[in-house]
Amino acid sequence: MVLMLIEALLVATLLAAGVVFFAPDRYAGKLAAALSLLPLAGSLWLWLDFEGSGNALLEGSEIAYETTVEWMDIGYTLQWYVGLDGVSLPLIVLTTILTTAAIVSAWTPIDERQSQFYGLVLLLEFGLLGVFAALDFFLWFIFWEVVLVPMYFLIAIWGGPRRKYAAIKFFVYTNVASLIMFVGFLTLVFAMGDSVTALSLPEIAKALHAGGAVGSIAGFAPETVKLFAFALMFFGFAVKVPIVPVHTWLPDAHVEAPTPVSVLLAGVLLKMGTYALLRFNFTMLPEVATDYAELIAAIAVLSVIYGAMLALAQQDLKRIVAYSSISSMGYVILGLVAYTTYGIGGATFQMISHGFISGLMFMVVGVIYNETHTRLVGDMSGMADRMPWTVGIFVAAAFGYMGLPLMSGFAAEVFVFLGSFGTPHLSLSPLFTAAAMFGIVIVAGYLLWAMQRTLFGEFDLGTDYEVGRAPLHDVAPLAVLLACVIVLGVNPDLFMGMIQDAINPIVDSLGGGA
């Protein structure tokens, strides 16, 4: 309470956004990179100093860096309530690292209205940090909606030829999904009556776990009310993830967005959906999740296979990576519904791993585009001779996506598969796990095909540009992200220990095991 470290992190990020937004264009990129180091250093400090235990929403937990200040009373007490546990802290670290890397990667492609661009990127970071730190629903929802505004403008102003269409589609999809989710959550809260007096997420979760908190509404039984709330929240968050079939906004947004924005969209924004699913659906209403586990697992496997198949059919490198994100998020859903320590823990670790790998992949594609001015597989070949460092990192990142041992993707997928195989409440878990594992084969297929066509063979380019080695400021963030992928692959316990500590109370609440 005295140190208020989370507040300091948020204020530093918001002030940085304001300063950069009004700075002269010629200084904006360097200034934004320098100021982004403040929240980065702050998140690393929080990680190194972390002493929380358990899950922030459940009994018997110690919330790290917790601050509670009553805000207003509207029948329910609204609070400034923030804090971190082993689920949210790794996502805070991921956000700050990717934001700094994205800002540096934007120095080459962003050459107009630079101060506004970098200011909006930092405002986006501010919203993301708030989503992962807030523990009051009203406060959390404000941060959730704040994220939409800078992302809309970043796509609509600095995007490609169809940028306005992509930005509007993104905004409509995600805003309608937020409204549906909002209705679902409030239905649950109203059904709880006097069981809760505030919109504090821990208070609501603890009341639900105590049993008997949900009453009937309009004659509907409590079980029906829970299912209704679960379904609406699941749909709202599924759009943000996204999972099949509510995924169609994502490829358009990725293709039209400038590369640094795609890095944050794939690396962090998609994790808002899976993080919220874990916090709301799978933590607050575990009985509903386990009752419909087969359906949720089927949706997860469909996303894995269908997303990978769509990626296999693409010719645009950005679309390939975009569709592969849909596939990767399917593994997260499969791990969450397993309700084992390795299942939910692996799903959370997959969020972090995919954030680094997908951000790295988009960044590499952006560097290649900066030199060739094309992303089409058929327009180029032999890039390895002209851009050896960039291509080397591309190959390493692709192998990370395929689950190469000693890289974070391998650790994440192994955790998920171990956790999902033989789950008691999931009678078809061996079948679902085997089908999801087959997705890795498809991933290897489309990535190896794309690399063979574009990176190797005789040099050929379908555009009239000279291709040379990328500048150091383009390659440096690639190297940093690749290092993160390797370090987490070699030593997953840098995050996995705190993640498991936060996941175990969820598993124990259902009588599950490690």
Side-chain angles (χ1 to χ4, degrees), residues 195-439:
S195 299
V196 293
T197 58
L199 292 184
S200 158
L201 298 183
E203 180 179 338
I204 293 169
K206 290 168 186 175
L208 288 168
H209 277 257
V214 178
S216 60
I217 291 184
F220 291 100
E223 292 74 18
T224 305
V225 174
K226 286 182 181 181
L227 176 59
F228 178 77
F230 184 95
L232 291 189
M233 290 192 293
F234 187 91
F235 178 84
F237 298 139
V239 172
K240 183 76 78 175
V241 172
I243 57 178
V244 176
V246 289
H247 66 284
T248 56
W249 65 268
L250 182 66
D252 292 315
H254 270 311
V255 169
E256 299 305 323
T259 297
V261 177
S262 291
V263 170
L264 293 174
L265 178 59
V268 190
L269 259 76
L270 305 190
K271 311 310 175 292
M272 289 170 58
T274 49
Y275 171 80
L277 280 171
L278 173 56
R279 284 293 199 214
F280 290 83
N281 290 72
F282 291 95
T283 298
M284 293 184 179
L285 297 169
E287 315 88 10
V288 181
T290 52
D291 287 344
Y292 292 87
E294 305 283 353
L295 175 60
I296 296 171
I299 293 173
V301 172
L302 176 63
S303 293
V304 170
I305 302 299
Y306 188 66
M309 294 297 290
L310 287 174
L312 187 60
Q314 304 306 310
Q315 296 288 328
D316 186 313
L317 288 175
K318 240 188 174 186
R319 280 190 176 272
I320 291 174
V321 182
Y323 280 115
S324 69
S325 292
I326 298 171
S327 180
S328 295
M329 290 298 96
Y331 291 118
V332 176
I333 306 301
L334 181 62
L336 291 178
V337 79
Y339 276 105
T340 58
T341 301
Y342 276 131
I344 304 182
T348 308
F349 192 85
Q350 170 73 344
M351 297 183 210
I352 311 303
S353 170
H354 179 264
F356 283 122
I357 296 177
S358 64
L360 175 56
M361 290 288 286
F362 274 112
M363 209 174 285
V364 172
V365 171
V367 172
I368 292 175
Y369 179 79
N370 292 341
E371 295 297 319
T372 63
H373 293 264
T374 182
R375 296 190 303 263
L376 297 179
V377 173
D379 285 353
M380 54 182 151
S381 64
M383 292 295 109
D385 290 337
R386 306 298 176 94
M387 307 176 69
W389 287 105
T390 303
V391 167
I393 294 174
F394 191 164
V395 172
F399 279 119
Y401 236 132
M402 295 179 218
L404 185 74
L406 299 183
M407 302 188 82
S408 63
F410 173 79
E413 289 167 2
V414 166
F415 290 145
V416 169
F417 295 149
L418 285 175
S420 63
F421 191 87
T423 304
H425 62 272
L426 203 55
S427 60
L428 297 178
S429 61
L431 177 61
F432 287 129
T433 304
M437 292 177 72
F438 180 71

Side-chain angles (χ1 to χ4, degrees), residues 123-135:
L123 179 61
L124 178 65
E125 180 183 22
F126 167 76
L128 291 167
L129 294 175
V131 166
F132 299 134
L135 292 175

